[in-house]
Amino acid sequence: MSRKLVRPREGRMIAGVCAGLAQRFGRSPGFIRLLFLLSLLLPGTQVIVYLVLWLLMPNEDRHVVRY
């Protein structure tokens, strides 16, 4: 399980939020995407939360040290 919550460059579909959450919590990205899609059937602010995470989660590149 990864310690940092980042949006990976590989395995993205739209913004990488679901892929980042999956990587952080040790789940498959498909499972997290399915949960998100199912949550859209319920009333709530899921889309707003997704957009906020998109803005707040840094890209994976910022945490890579290059020499």
Side-chain angles (χ1 to χ4, degrees):
M1 181 162 53
S2 172
R3 286 289 217 201
K4 297 182 180 179
L5 185 59
V6 295
R7 293 182 294 128
R9 285 288 181 190
E10 307 265 332
R12 287 182 170 189
M13 290 202 73
I14 297 175
V17 173
C18 291
L21 290 171
Q23 194 175 49
R24 168 67 175 91
F25 295 109
R27 300 286 184 177
S28 77
F31 177 71
I32 301 297
R33 289 178 188 124
L34 179 64
L35 285 179
F36 177 71
L37 288 176
L38 290 175
S39 76
L40 291 176
L41 299 174
L42 302 171
T45 59
Q46 297 87 333
V47 175
I48 294 171
V49 170
Y50 186 91
L51 293 174
V52 168
L53 285 173
W54 186 357
L55 292 172
L56 294 179
M57 287 173 64
N59 280 323
E60 188 175 41
D61 292 341
R62 292 183 186 172
H63 296 284
V64 176
V65 177
R66 295 183 182 157
Y67 295 99

